[in-house]
Amino acid sequence: MKFLLLFFIVGSAWSKVIDHTVTMKKIEIYSIKEACQALGHTDLLMVDKKDRSHLDCMGTYEKVTSFCEKKFPNDKTLTRGYIEGTANQVICERGTNVIVKIACDKRDLPLCKKPKEGCEKVGKIFAIRHEVFRSTLVKFLKGRALNCFFAVKDTDLDGLQNLKDPIKK
């Protein structure tokens, strides 16, 4: 009985990400120690992860996204930074577009009430240097979901035409 109760409590503690897709995805992999050093920490005898988004640099907690932002200061395609669970490696992810779909369950219902504002909050986690291009509520098998589409803020990337410009023949 205790196991069943624990299952329901833990299961409802995390947001239900139904879909997370990155267009033209690129990842860079670093060690936790390398990330802590880049953030200015020295004499690192013990480094570890606090959770998927925070480093433990000898008792000082740092955001993984801070490391990635420092590593790629001018890259407008930076989407997020996280710690890969099993290998304990720091991942800096980049891409041109990001699509995130989150279930409108009990925990995330406030995000779904105002889709644009909800997607802006989601973007701070999954698309840090992107802007909300489209935000909608959609139906799926188990109810409704917040569907967020993010695009780079500056569309003048190599190989891409600015969507506002007319097509040149």
Side-chain angles (χ1 to χ4, degrees):
M1 180 68 179
K2 288 181 183 179
F3 175 74
L4 187 61
L5 182 61
L6 180 65
F7 175 76
F8 285 115
I9 292 171
V10 172
S12 65
W14 291 292
S15 173
K16 293 180 185 167
V17 177
I18 301 165
D19 183 29
H20 175 252
T21 307
V22 180
T23 307
M24 296 178 63
K25 181 177 179 176
K26 296 179 187 175
I27 61 168
E28 303 286 333
I29 301 171
Y30 304 94
S31 70
I32 291 176
K33 186 173 185 176
E34 187 177 357
C36 286
Q37 287 173 335
L39 291 170
H41 298 278
T42 57
D43 300 325
L44 297 169
L45 300 174
M46 292 179 57
V47 294
D48 202 1
K49 69 176 183 177
K50 179 181 179 205
D51 52 41
R52 282 191 57 134
S53 58
H54 291 87
L55 303 162
D56 181 353
C57 304
M58 290 286 292
T60 302
Y61 301 120
E62 298 280 359
K63 288 183 177 181
V64 177
T65 54
S66 297
F67 164 72
C68 293
E69 288 176 321
K70 187 171 186 174
K71 201 74 175 165
F72 301 98
N74 299 317
D75 192 338
K76 295 175 181 177
T77 65
L78 182 64
T79 60
R80 66 180 178 150
Y82 63 96
I83 299 173
E84 199 280 323
T86 57
N88 281 343
Q89 294 176 318
V90 174
I91 309 289
C92 294
E93 180 183 86
R94 297 178 287 154
T96 54
N97 300 313
V98 179
I99 299 171
V100 180
K101 190 182 293 184
I102 296 177
C104 294
D105 59 7
K106 186 176 181 180
R107 175 188 163 158
D108 293 317
L109 195 57
L111 295 175
C112 298
K113 288 186 179 184
K114 295 183 180 178
K116 174 98 169 143
E117 292 174 15
C119 285
E120 288 171 355
K121 288 179 181 178
V122 169
K124 292 177 184 177
I125 299 167
F126 291 101
I128 57 177
R129 291 194 180 154
H130 293 62
E131 64 185 351
V132 177
F133 183 76
R134 179 170 291 136
S135 57
T136 58
L137 288 175
V138 295
K139 290 183 181 179
F140 78 109
L141 295 176
K142 297 181 181 179
R144 298 183 70 131
L146 177 65
N147 193 31
C148 304
F149 183 86
F150 302 94
V152 290
K153 291 181 182 175
D154 184 7
T155 56
D156 284 333
L157 294 173
D158 294 335
L160 296 177
Q161 180 182 359
N162 190 333
L163 296 175
K164 296 176 187 172
D165 293 342
I167 298 174
K168 297 176 185 175
K169 294 182 181 182

